[in-house]
Amino acid sequence: GATTRPIDVSLAEKVRVVYHLGMKTFSIFVSLFFAAACQSDDGDKSPVGGTGTTEVLVDADGDGVIEEADCDDSDATVHPGAPEQCNEIDDDCDGVVDEDPADGAVFYYDGDGDGHGIDAVSVSACSAPESYATGAGDCDDSDPAIHPDAAEDDCTDPVDYNCDGSVGYADMDGDGSPACEDCNDSNAEVSPDMVEVCNDGVDDDCDGAADGPGALGESTWYADTDGDLHGDPGVSVESCEEPDGYVDNSTDCNDEAASANPSGVEFCDGLDNDCDGEVDGAGAIGGMTLYPDEDGDGYGLESSSVLGCESMEGYVSTPGDCDDTTAAVYPGADEVCDGLDNDCSGSVDEGLLSVVYADPDGDGFGLTLVSMESCGVPEGYATLSGDCDEADADIHPGAEEVCDGADNDCSGSVDEGLLSTVYADPDGDGYGLALLPMDGCGVPDGYAAMAGDCDETDGAIHPGAEEVCDGEDNDCSGGVDEGLSEVFYADTDGDGFGVEASAMEACSIPFGHTTVVGDCAPDDGDIHPDATEICDAVDNNCNDLVDDDDDGLDLTTATLFYPDLDLDGYGAGVAEMSCLEPDGHVLDDTDCLDSDGASYPGAAEVWYDGVDQDCAGGSDYDADGDGVDSADHGGLDVDDLDPSCTTVCSVGLTPETAATTCEDILDASPSAANGTYWIDMGMGTPLETFCDMDGGGWTSCFELVNTTDEDLVGNDWFDRCVDWTMSGNTENQFRITVQ
């Protein structure tokens, strides 16, 4: 019903011919030379249709598309080529609303209806098409029990229900017990089906107790209550290891007394200490030797002893009495001045007699040469000797010595301690010269009581003076500037740390030196005790530990290595940071099944076994990768070796099966999707053409370039396009657009 407007077409222009017949649209791009049909003999251009006028092109909304090609020339967002939006408007003027929208959601093909589709088959739409879901990641779209949200709570089931690439089931040691039930899946001799044996702490049967009760190989152990290492034959247990309080023998005759056992020694204690069946037998240790005590003083006569484990009347266990007729005489008795040996020491009145000295002046000190022994101190005598002048009571040992020319304290010296040596002190600093001493009772002017001055010309120099850093021995210590200098170390690399071998002393820090020692690389300023250890095979912080051996290693310089449990060269799981590759680890982390050495990226895929050997992802039942599982394995694909063939192998998929029109393909295959198909337009050579199946079979994007001067007059398709366009046929719509 559209009005056909003539357009001035020049010889070398590319012409786009579009016709719409019912639900068919064919778009033909033709670059050709119109010879006789569109040009007069003299070369002048003639308007198509012979009207002789040039059409004015209108674009009301300014979107770059003329109103004849624009399905809504009042809206600049609506025109051919515009992005389709979810707004119930035909934004791109293709006759279909909201198809493949730019703001649509992604939906995934969900063949088993479990709410999760396969990643490889997805569409963008405003709402979910039938058999599509918003969830992705289904690793088996033929089984609704398998999807990312499925529960996986049976560790003995080897199926990956939640599609996370792993299952609880594993049996690394091949003992028939899964790892989730096996307490040691690296040892085939340990599992819940094994029998517990005595083997040094191994839990063979996985019951949580190693070498528990009833284990094969148990020993008999006997109670040792008294801890004497001899067991009670009447109390025993069976166990792999010796229980606390038990021993491996049953030789004790009395397990309540540690002193009674076969290794014991017989004592006088009422026990059979040596387990020979006799209590307190002959030779028992602790048997008493008893002595007669007639005077009852607790000490007996040693010459009349008897033996026994128990005491007897009139006998005592303590010997040593030297007079058993006198109770006041016995060892330890107080000696009194009575002419008897009271303490049986062998001496009479010992310790009671003392030497006294004649003391005429009564000063408490007597004459050493005039003495006698006495039980007391008679008048005119003293217990102390040593008086050097019995005519003067002020002179005696201990008297205060005074400076009077007399020996007041009887020390043998006169005025000792009162005379002092003084030293010449010309500079008056309180310290004199040691070479000029003299004795006296005081300190004369120009002298000092202390010697040791090393410079009598300078009052500021003397012992005890403050040492200053001036090159002088200020305190007369014999050293110059001592205590003021400090040890410095050469710091050649300027890192603040020096080398111990370069130590030197100075009052202030010299240039290029430091007070801190410990640099192990004096020529490298990056290596010192405060540096951070990094992965470079160098001891950066001078602690004799390199790289991984140093707990202070900066892990940002380390490398991530992944466990490679199946040793196939591909890793997975929790990575370890390390400078050097640890055993059993690799840099790669792309292994999808690290328990199977035959599964890794690039491995040969074995289809239809449920295992992703090459780690490529996707369904193991879709060998041709067209996103649809094989019909032989629960899917819809009738030919899983041809990705172009899914549910139905339609016409138009190859040059050999080329269709006449897109509508023919849609008639033969109603489920055919938008895409490129092979169309034979009657020119002898099938061409690939985009078919818009959503619109009912529109054909577009056919292009023919005349490069051989072929005369296209008589070509059925070309003739029909030109004829129908120029005929003014109102039943069909035709449009010629200059490109």
Side-chain angles (χ1 to χ4, degrees):
T3 301
T4 302
R5 298 178 180 177
I7 301 174
D8 185 9
V9 181
S10 51
L11 286 178
E13 290 182 312
K14 180 182 289 186
V15 179
R16 181 170 186 248
V17 182
V18 180
Y19 79 92
H20 178 203
L21 179 59
M23 292 300 292
K24 299 179 181 177
T25 297
F26 296 85
S27 182
I28 304 175
F29 296 92
V30 182
S31 291
L32 49 80
F33 292 97
F34 285 98
C38 296
Q39 183 174 329
S40 65
D41 291 340
D42 59 3
D44 293 336
K45 297 180 181 178
S46 298
V48 177
T51 64
T53 62
T54 300
E55 179 184 24
V56 177
L57 303 180
V58 178
D59 179 11
D61 56 11
D63 57 8
V65 180
I66 61 175
E67 65 177 345
E68 286 83 359
D70 199 334
C71 57
D72 186 351
D73 204 32
S74 65
D75 188 342
T77 64
V78 177
H79 56 80
E84 193 70 26
Q85 306 289 331
C86 286
N87 55 10
E88 299 185 359
I89 296 174
D90 182 11
D91 302 279
D92 57 3
C93 297
D94 64 353
V96 183
V97 175
D98 294 348
E99 85 284 2
D100 195 19
D103 60 347
V106 178
F107 300 93
Y108 302 87
Y109 180 73
D110 180 15
D112 55 12
D114 59 9
H116 290 268
I118 56 179
D119 296 345
V121 181
S122 64
V123 297
S124 176
C126 296
S127 59
E130 184 178 357
S131 297
Y132 279 77
T134 57
D138 201 338
C139 55
D140 187 347
D141 205 38
S142 64
D143 188 341
I146 299 176
H147 55 81
D149 290 339
E152 194 167 284
D153 50 14
D154 184 358
C155 75
T156 63
D157 191 337
V159 176
D160 179 13
Y161 288 97
N162 60 7
C163 298
D164 64 355
S166 66
V167 295
Y169 183 86
D171 183 12
M172 300 297 292
D173 55 11
D175 57 9
S177 295
C180 59
E181 296 178 351
D182 197 334
C183 57
N184 187 345
D185 201 37
S186 63
N187 187 348
E189 300 298 323
V190 175
S191 74
D193 296 330
M194 300 300 291
V195 175
E196 191 70 25
V197 296
C198 293
N199 54 2
D200 295 332
V202 177
D203 182 10
D204 306 278
D205 58 4
C206 292
D207 65 351
D211 299 340
L216 294 179
E218 288 184 319
S219 300
T220 302
W221 308 91
Y222 299 90
D224 180 18
T225 305
D226 55 12
D228 60 5
L229 302 182
H230 292 271
D232 185 348
V235 182
S236 65
V237 296
E238 300 292 321
S239 175
C240 290
E241 297 182 356
E242 180 180 308
D244 290 341
Y246 283 78
V247 293
D248 61 357
N249 66 82
S250 58
T251 58
D252 207 339
C253 60
N254 184 349
D255 202 35
E256 296 180 357
S259 61
N261 58 69
S263 302
V265 178
E266 195 68 27
F267 287 88
C268 285
D269 57 1
L271 298 175
D272 181 9
N273 304 95
D274 55 6
C275 290
D276 64 354
E278 185 177 357
V279 177
D280 294 343
I285 296 175
M288 296 184 293
T289 301
L290 302 175
Y291 306 90
D293 181 18
E294 293 183 5
D295 56 10
D297 58 9
Y299 291 86
L301 292 174
E302 190 169 1
S303 59
S304 303
S305 64
V306 296
L307 293 176
C309 280
E310 298 178 354
S311 61
M312 298 185 295
E313 185 72 25
Y315 283 81
V316 294
S317 61
T318 305
D321 203 341
C322 56
D323 184 353
D324 204 30
T325 62
T326 304
V329 177
Y330 56 86
D334 291 335
E335 189 71 23
V336 295
C337 207
D338 58 1
L340 297 176
D341 184 8
N342 306 93
D343 58 3
C344 294
S345 65
S347 300
V348 176
D349 297 340
E350 75 276 7
L352 300 176
L353 299 174
S354 62
V355 177
V356 294
Y357 304 89
D359 181 18
D361 58 9
D363 59 9
F365 292 86
L367 295 170
T368 303
L369 299 177
V370 182
S371 65
M372 70 175 184
E373 286 190 346
S374 172
C375 284
V377 182
E379 184 72 24
Y381 281 81
T383 58
L384 300 176
S385 64
D387 202 340
C388 57
D389 188 347
E390 275 299 333
D392 190 342
D394 292 329
I395 296 177
H396 56 77
E400 182 181 0
E401 188 73 21
V402 294
C403 201
D404 58 1
D407 183 9
N408 307 94
D409 57 3
C410 295
S411 65
S413 299
V414 176
D415 298 338
E416 73 275 8
L418 300 176
L419 298 175
S420 61
T421 302
V422 293
Y423 307 89
D425 181 18
D427 57 10
D429 57 10
Y431 292 86
L433 295 171
L435 299 178
L436 300 173
M438 75 175 190
D439 291 334
C441 285
V443 181
D445 289 341
Y447 283 81
M450 294 180 288
D453 201 341
C454 55
D455 188 346
E456 277 299 335
T457 64
D458 190 340
I461 297 178
H462 55 78
E466 181 181 1
E467 188 73 20
V468 294
C469 203
D470 59 359
E472 297 285 347
D473 181 11
N474 307 93
D475 57 3
C476 295
S477 64
V480 176
D481 299 339
E482 72 276 8
L484 299 176
S485 62
E486 190 175 356
V487 178
F488 299 98
Y489 306 90
D491 178 16
T492 56
D493 54 11
D495 58 10
F497 292 86
V499 180
E500 187 169 5
S502 65
M504 64 170 289
E505 287 193 6
C507 288
S508 60
I509 185 169
F511 178 77
H513 285 70
T514 178
T515 59
V516 185
V517 74
D519 202 342
C520 57
D523 296 327
D524 191 334
D526 294 328
I527 299 177
H528 52 78
D530 281 349
T532 300
E533 189 69 20
I534 62 174
C535 288
D536 60 357
V538 174
D539 178 15
N540 308 95
N541 55 11
C542 298
N543 65 352
D544 295 329
L545 299 174
V546 178
D547 292 356
D548 292 324
D549 294 332
D550 195 330
D551 291 339
L553 175 68
D554 181 1
L555 293 179
T556 62
T557 67
T559 302
L560 283 173
F561 294 96
Y562 298 85
D564 180 15
L565 300 180
D566 53 15
L567 302 179
D568 58 7
Y570 294 83
V574 179
E576 178 177 341
M577 297 292 294
S578 178
C579 295
L580 300 177
E581 182 178 295
D583 291 341
H585 288 67
V586 294
L587 288 171
D588 181 273
D589 67 340
T590 60
D591 204 336
C592 56
L593 186 57
D594 203 33
S595 61
D596 183 356
S599 295
Y600 53 84
E605 182 65 35
V606 179
W607 294 102
Y608 315 121
D609 64 351
V611 178
D612 185 12
Q613 281 91 358
D614 61 1
C615 296
S619 173
D620 196 50
Y621 304 99
D622 180 16
D624 58 9
D626 58 9
V628 182
D629 285 353
S630 169
D632 294 335
H633 296 278
L636 302 175
D637 198 338
V638 297
D639 185 355
D640 203 34
L641 298 179
D642 184 356
S644 66
C645 179
T646 55
T647 56
V648 177
C649 292
S650 304
V651 296
L653 298 180
T654 65
E656 291 74 22
T657 62
T660 303
T661 66
C662 292
E663 188 176 33
D664 292 340
I665 297 174
L666 192 60
D667 290 341
S669 235
S671 62
N674 294 347
T676 302
Y677 295 86
W678 288 91
I679 302 296
D680 186 352
M681 297 183 177
M683 292 183 289
T685 301
L687 300 173
E688 282 193 287
T689 303
F690 180 83
C691 291
D692 180 4
M693 298 304 186
D694 291 341
W698 289 65
T699 304
S700 62
C701 301
F702 165 66
E703 183 176 8
L704 174 65
V705 178
N706 184 11
T707 58
T708 61
D709 295 329
E710 177 183 354
D711 185 3
L712 295 179
V713 176
N715 179 281
D716 182 59
W717 274 85
F718 179 75
D719 288 347
R720 286 159 57 193
C721 286
V722 173
D723 291 345
W724 289 335
T725 301
M726 304 305 172
S727 66
N729 190 329
T730 58
E731 181 180 353
N732 306 298
Q733 295 180 10
F734 305 97
R735 186 177 295 115
I736 298 177
T737 304
V738 178
Q739 301 293 306

